[in-house]
Amino acid sequence: MSEELKAELLDVALEAARRAGALLRDGRPADLAVAATKSSPIDVVTEMDIAAEKLITDILAERRPADGLLGEEGADSPGTSGVRWVIDPLDGTVNYLYGLPGWGVSIAAEFGGETVVGVVAAPMRGETYHAVLGGGAWSGPARLACRAAAPLDQALVATGFAYVQTRRAHQAEVAARIIPLVRDVRRAGSAALDLCDVAAGRLDGYWERGLNPWDLAAGDLIAREAGALTGGRPGRPASGELVLAASPAVFASLQPLLEEAGAWHD
């Protein structure tokens, strides 16, 4: 892939994320309500999720009509260009529903099955994170870098919980095994922002089971380009089975503990 094409994809992703973020920030109705549910009655979709995905897909259709699409709210087309966009128009929907600031817009571009561009806009933080494969990770003009090496007992890590009750129960058991071994555990409610916080050095690590491609595609690239390691079970890539992103030293310590705790199964 040429540098010119990477730059074009980044420009498109930044524009789409900026406009969708502004729509979500400025257009949130005071009486926002649940429009639909997904995996369980507490796994919700709002009208603004749907509106933001439509805005993004309209931009992509105008600027990159031959590209494929995979979006959380239903966009799915193969395209003919070899580029596929993986979109989460509102990551952290429950936070957004409750008026909490921990939500973002996640847009990634893949080429040949590999993520080459990732953008995560966090409008309530006033920050947009981005990365191009091989080009580092950035927040505006500032280059991001994961935290320096720290022993596990001094690591601040984050996790997330599914909206399916049986899975949540096991995830709580895993977290209970990890909490005594680390500085503390955070649960913020947005996988995309957790991955960017690893990239920005605000967290030493993050793990979660049950993510979808749109939850992690952009944030995974941003974390890796900031020097973090990402993966799943030992020897496997990050996937719905398990996602782990951390500074190298914390990754090396935390991955076998998650394996032993069974973080990769329900």
Side-chain angles (χ1 to χ4, degrees):
M1 172 177 281
S2 69
E3 294 305 312
E4 290 77 13
L5 180 53
K6 288 181 183 178
E8 178 186 347
L9 297 177
L10 176 62
D11 182 66
V12 173
L14 286 168
E15 177 191 356
R18 176 185 60 79
R19 290 175 56 183
L23 171 70
L24 291 163
R25 181 192 62 218
D26 301 335
R28 183 184 184 278
D31 59 348
L32 180 68
V34 173
T37 60
K38 294 182 286 188
S39 63
S40 77
I42 56 174
D43 186 6
V44 300
V45 179
T46 72
E47 63 189 270
M48 297 303 290
D49 294 71
I50 298 165
E53 181 158 303
K54 184 178 187 307
L55 185 151
I56 294 167
T57 56
D58 285 351
I59 292 170
L60 296 177
E62 177 183 350
R63 296 195 55 182
R64 299 280 311 174
D67 293 349
L69 292 170
L70 177 65
E72 180 175 16
E73 307 312 332
D76 189 1
S77 61
T80 58
S81 68
V83 173
R84 183 177 78 155
W85 296 92
V86 183
I87 306 158
D88 191 338
L90 177 49
D91 188 67
T93 297
V94 172
N95 285 347
Y96 184 79
L97 179 67
Y98 278 77
L100 295 169
W103 55 269
V105 179
S106 176
I107 302 176
E110 298 175 342
F111 185 76
E114 181 176 31
T115 303
V116 294
V117 167
V119 171
V120 175
M124 305 308 291
R125 294 182 176 185
E127 296 176 337
T128 297
Y129 316 92
H130 72 270
V132 174
L133 184 65
W138 305 80
S139 177
R143 186 158 188 166
L144 301 178
C146 67
R147 292 185 68 84
L152 188 63
D153 63 0
Q154 296 178 29
L156 180 65
V157 299
T159 192
F161 300 109
Y163 289 110
V164 177
Q165 297 294 351
T166 53
R167 178 170 290 178
R168 289 164 67 88
H170 183 61
Q171 287 174 318
E173 294 172 2
V174 172
R177 293 181 63 170
I178 299 300
I179 286 171
L181 307 177
V182 297
R183 184 189 297 273
D184 206 350
V185 173
R186 297 286 182 263
R187 193 277 196 265
S190 167
L193 294 190
D194 283 336
L195 288 163
C196 290
D197 282 342
V198 172
R202 294 168 176 163
L203 292 169
D204 293 286
Y206 158 74
W207 88 89
E208 188 166 351
R209 168 167 166 74
L211 297 184
N212 294 294
W214 48 79
D215 297 313
L216 68 100
D220 179 83
L221 177 65
I222 292 166
R224 284 189 284 112
E225 287 292 330
L229 297 180
T230 69
R233 298 184 67 188
R236 299 187 187 181
S239 70
E241 187 176 53
L242 180 66
V243 173
L244 171 61
S247 60
V250 171
F251 188 98
S253 298
L254 189 55
Q255 188 180 52
L257 294 175
L258 294 172
E259 177 73 9
E260 181 183 352
W264 46 274
H265 65 76
D266 296 338

